[in-house]
């Protein structure tokens, strides 16, 4: 019966996607078999891309006008590694399938009765994939009321305040972080081992706190030869930070780096820091997000005077506290709506949010909260609703951190044209970076005719840089484009300048 239900849900997505395609004009993105390209534009862009040293690299470019005609293509229907342009897929699919007001609850359950203010059992923190227990702003204008969360502990305290109101004073059992709403695979198999130390490859579970990372600050010591000054937040007493650094004279080489012993909370810093430098911050991922969230809750309980007799632990076993979840929760707190999940994915390219949303897609519209199920939902949507040729994309994760993602430039232009005409466009558009504005395009296209006129998503991993989005033209017209550079050996600054010059040139006209 469960298999039949899951099959119905996936076929239902297909039917809904087909209906969306009819209602919202998805087929306008389908390319004609023969592309009528502008000869002048083709000559200019070919000359630019064939000039040394860029002629040694693999370029994929698609430029589509407001009518959906491909006006320039270079390997347009060939698949490329898109890096963080992959986020356009998860953001567009989630924007279309979820209501902008979609929220999830994080709950506290007890495995035993509450007697005279004492929980006679374990206290279970159960997450449903809310990524917003953190410190960030969810709009370009950070001065707008309510768009910024300043303290990642705020929602933990809100949960605890509900317990206080119910008269809870003591927990006799353990405090458990239960992340079983998603599957137990916390780290994607396609991510490189070194990346797993860092915030941008944080583990993905049903529970999350502070982007599942600690923020380490470092500054030079008081004089030459002294260790650097180190600190980190939040500190729940479970992370050890070893200092193997030293301060070197100003102008000397700075080599500081941070490491975490796999599977542990033991972190160390080694290398050199220049004397006189400013305080800086790095963020390191922690191995067990469910334990991390439970420790954050323990801190909130202590702050409100509720004691815990037992220890703190975690689980991804969905059967362990199934009985407790059948009863009413002791406390609930709702996170921010889906529209706020999309903003960090596109604007600041937050990998962890993208992966949390991908697993959420799998949980709500597929067969479970896993990478595989999330990708299946994306695939069906791209084929059935956007009408993208299935041979022009192959997806693996939500963020693009994995080098096994492949998407053609033409597929990106079809997706972007589709979401531009969708009723939930505002959810997607609010997060899309704009040249010269807050986000990953803040310092791009300055001093060019396109300053403030490009809205696009950046992408960057080793030997890959990409940019896909929209260009505003005079007279209310515009272009949709995707530029992908793969297998390049150029410094980041040089390849970004080349990509920007291609975009500026395409906007000059035909």
């Amino acid at each position: 019966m469960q298999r039949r239900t899951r099959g119905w849900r996936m076929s239902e997505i297909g039917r809904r996607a087909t209906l969306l395609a009819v209602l919202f004009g998805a087929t306008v993105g389908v390319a004609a078999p023969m592309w009528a390209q502008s000869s002048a534009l083709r000559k200019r862009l070919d000359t630019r891309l064939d000039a040394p040293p860029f002629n040694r690299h693999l370029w994929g470019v698609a430029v589509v006008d407001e009518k959906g005609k491909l006006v320039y293509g270079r390997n347009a229907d060939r698949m490329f590694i898109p890096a963080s342009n992959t986020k356009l897929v998860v953001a567009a699919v989630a924007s279309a399938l979820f209501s902008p007001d979609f929220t999830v609850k994080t709950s506290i359950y007890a495995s035993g009765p509450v007697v005279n203010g004492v929980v006679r059992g374990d206290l279970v923190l159960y997450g449903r994939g809310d990524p917003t227990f953190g410190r960030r702003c969810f709009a370009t204008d950070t001065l707008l009321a309510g768009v910024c969360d300043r303290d990642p502990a705020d929602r933990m305290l809100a949960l605890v305040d509900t317990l206080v109101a119910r008269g809870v004073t003591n927990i006799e059992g353990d405090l458990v972080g239960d992340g079983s709403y998603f599957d137990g695979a916390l780290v994607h198999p396609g991510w490189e081992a070194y990346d797993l130390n860092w915030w941008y490859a944080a583990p993905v579970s049903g529970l999350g706190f502070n982007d599942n990372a600690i923020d380490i600050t470092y500054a030079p010591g008081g004089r030459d030869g002294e260790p650097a000054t180190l600190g980190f937040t939040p500190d729940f007493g479970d992370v050890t930070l070893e200092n193997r650094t030293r301060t070197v004279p100003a102008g000397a080489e700075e080599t500081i780096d941070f490491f975490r012993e796999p599977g542990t909370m033991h972190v160390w810093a080694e290398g050199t820091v220049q004397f006189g430098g400013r305080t800086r911050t790095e963020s390191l991922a922690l191995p067990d997000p469910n334990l991390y969230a439970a420790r954050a809750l323990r801190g909130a309980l202590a702050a409100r005077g509720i004691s815990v007799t037992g220890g703190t632990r975690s689980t991804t076993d969905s059967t362990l506290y199934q009985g407790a979840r059948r009863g009413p929760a002791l406390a609930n707190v709702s996170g921010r709506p889906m529209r706020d999940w999309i903003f960090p994915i596109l604007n600041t390219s937050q990998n962890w949010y993208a992966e949390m949303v991908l697993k959420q897609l799998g949980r709500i519209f597929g067969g479970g909260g896993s990478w595989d199920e999330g990708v299946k939902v994306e695939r069906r949507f791209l084929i059935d609703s956007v009408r993208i040729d299935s041979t022009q994309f192959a997806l693996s994760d939500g963020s693009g951190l994995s080098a096994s993602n492949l998407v053609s430039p033409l597929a990106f232009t079809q997706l972007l044209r589709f979401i531009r005409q969708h009723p939930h466009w505002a959810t997607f558009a609010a997060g899309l970076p704009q040249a010269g504005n807050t986000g990953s395009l803040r310092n791009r296209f300055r001093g060019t005719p396109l300053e403030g006129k490009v809205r696009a998503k950046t992408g960057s991993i080793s030997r890959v840089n990409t940019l896909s989005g929209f260009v505003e033209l005079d007279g209310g017209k515009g272009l949709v484009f995707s530029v992908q550079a793969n297998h390049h050996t150029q410094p980041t600054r040089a390849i970004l300048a080349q990509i920007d010059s291609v975009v500026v040139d395409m906007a000059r006209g035909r």
Side-chain angles (χ1 to χ4, degrees), residues 152-211:
D154 281 348
R155 288 189 185 84
M156 292 295 184
L157 289 169
L159 283 167
V160 173
D161 286 341
T162 301
L163 297 182
V164 171
R166 295 175 69 104
V168 174
T169 59
N170 178 255
I171 316 300
E172 281 191 344
D174 292 341
L175 188 59
V176 183
D178 185 344
S180 64
Y181 187 77
F182 291 160
D183 71 339
L186 305 182
V187 174
H188 192 277
W191 296 348
E192 294 185 7
Y194 175 78
D195 290 339
L196 303 184
N197 285 331
W198 300 97
W199 62 272
Y200 57 79
V204 184
S205 186
L207 272 175
F209 180 78
N210 198 49
D211 292 9

Side-chain angles (χ1 to χ4, degrees), residues 136-362:
R136 71 172 64 251
C137 295
F138 297 89
T140 299
D141 185 353
T142 60
L143 298 180
L144 291 173
V147 303
C148 297
D149 285 339
R150 305 297 185 185
D151 188 344
D154 281 348
R155 288 189 185 84
M156 292 295 184
L157 289 169
L159 283 167
V160 173
D161 286 341
T162 301
L163 297 182
V164 171
R166 295 175 69 104
V168 174
T169 59
N170 178 255
I171 316 300
E172 281 191 344
D174 292 341
L175 188 59
V176 183
D178 185 344
S180 64
Y181 187 77
F182 291 160
D183 71 339
L186 305 182
V187 174
H188 192 277
W191 296 348
E192 294 185 7
Y194 175 78
D195 290 339
L196 303 184
N197 285 331
W198 300 97
W199 62 272
Y200 57 79
V204 184
S205 186
L207 272 175
F209 180 78
N210 198 49
D211 292 9
N212 288 344
I214 57 169
D215 304 314
I216 301 177
T217 58
Y218 66 96
R223 60 182 179 181
D224 228 12
E226 285 189 355
T229 301
L230 302 178
F232 67 91
T233 58
D235 184 0
F236 301 127
D238 55 339
V239 175
T240 60
L241 178 57
E242 184 181 351
N243 192 344
R244 305 178 187 175
T245 66
R246 63 186 177 89
T247 303
V248 294
E253 183 181 11
E254 189 166 278
T255 63
I256 189 169
D257 204 350
F258 297 88
F259 304 88
R260 177 173 55 79
E261 185 178 333
T264 76
M265 301 286 206
H266 178 59
V267 178
W268 71 92
E270 61 182 54
T272 59
V273 180
Q274 290 183 15
F275 180 76
R278 59 183 176 84
T279 299
R280 282 165 286 181
T281 302
E282 292 282 3
S283 298
L284 260 67
L286 295 180
D288 187 341
N290 308 304
L291 183 61
Y292 188 30
R295 290 191 183 279
L297 178 60
R298 191 174 190 120
L301 290 166
R304 295 294 192 260
I306 298 178
S307 62
V308 181
T309 303
T312 308
R313 53 190 177 87
S314 65
T315 185
T316 56
D317 183 348
S318 62
T319 67
L320 192 58
Y321 291 100
Q322 193 173 52
R325 294 198 303 273
R326 290 195 184 104
L330 294 181
N332 292 299
V333 65
S334 293
R336 284 183 172 268
M338 177 58 68
R339 65 169 65 88
D340 288 343
W341 301 16
I342 300 300
F343 182 86
I345 294 173
L346 295 176
N347 197 258
T348 53
S349 203
Q350 225 295 355
N351 290 354
W352 183 65
Y353 269 66
E355 306 301 351
M356 292 287 276
V357 169
L358 182 62
K359 284 196 173 186
Q360 195 72 243
L361 283 169

